[in-house]
Amino acid sequence: MTLTQGSIDQYLNWLSANGGSPRTEKAYRTDLEMLLAHLAANHPNLATDDELELAVAGYLTDLRTRLAPTTIHRKLAAFRSWGKRSGRPAFLAGYRAPTPPAPEPHPLPEGIDGVLRMISCAGTPQHAAVVALCGLAGLRVSEACAVRPEDLDMADRILLVHGKGAKLRRVPLSDAAANAILPTLLAATPGEPIVGFGERRAREVITELGVSAKLSRRVASHDLRATFATAAYNKSLNLRAVQTLLGHANSKQTEVYTGVSVAQMRDAADVA
């Protein structure tokens, strides 16, 4: 088993054909090519799979002093996945990455009202639609940018979302979400995304509209998703329903998105 540019390209082609997201492919390519350069410079004469594994483990350990735990976890996932695809299923199975800090939820302090203010500031229907898809339907920005006219059943207010790993989920739309999306839907070309721009521009639009709406802090696309998740949970108190709406594989992921306010914690703690 040898790490070469050819083996990286073959692995990434396989990953793409099996539902890997473009974002994951880009990150894994960078991780693997950086590892390849490190091995060429520092370990040019690796002779066995065990020697390769030992060298990669040492590389990861050295990076731990400079990179965040989440980045080490991603690199480890990339290397393990490449190793498994290259014929060694247990590659780096014994390596233990550092424990990342518990992620903090980051819904907008203004809640859904903040999302509606952003939509009201939108200069185009497409800008309004991407905010509505993320903030009123809980889509990831990549999912929002991929929505096509045929994914929307406006009669029943149902959106078919193409999620991570080619998984599909059905998301009911509120009246506010449907109304914000409708103008873009009416002008869209069948088979083409209704938003009409890519993820990078969508993230810029979301941040710009947060400024235009005079929200209390900088807004990112995941802030809108967290705002939707928090509002949905507070209304329903049904974590499983919110998990399904967001397309999470398990409820632990969903718990990150359902922020709890200080006022809610104070009410919960006031037992006497």
Side-chain angles (χ1 to χ4, degrees), residues 118-132 179-185 187 194-197 201-202 205-206 208-209 212:
M118 290 173 64
I119 292 172
S120 70
C121 292
T124 71
Q126 291 77 18
H127 290 181
V130 76
V131 173
N179 291 337
I181 295 167
L182 185 58
T184 302
L185 177 62
I194 67 171
V195 169
F197 43 78
R201 180 54 187 152
V205 165
I206 289 168
E208 291 165 3
L209 287 176
S212 298

Side-chain angles (χ1 to χ4, degrees), residues 65-146:
T65 64
R66 305 194 300 275
L67 300 179
T70 52
T71 303
I72 300 299
H73 273 268
R74 189 200 66 226
K75 289 180 179 292
L76 178 58
F79 302 160
R80 282 175 172 167
S81 183
W82 171 83
K84 182 177 181 180
R85 181 61 185 167
S86 299
R88 186 158 178 169
F91 188 66
L92 292 173
Y95 188 87
R96 293 292 173 262
T99 302
E104 293 289 335
H106 41 74
L108 299 180
E110 295 85 356
I112 293 298
D113 179 64
V115 177
L116 297 176
R117 283 163 56 184
M118 290 173 64
I119 292 172
S120 70
C121 292
T124 71
Q126 291 77 18
H127 290 181
V130 76
V131 173
L133 288 167
C134 294
L136 299 180
L139 273 63
R140 302 175 178 93
V141 71
S142 59
E143 296 168 345
C145 290

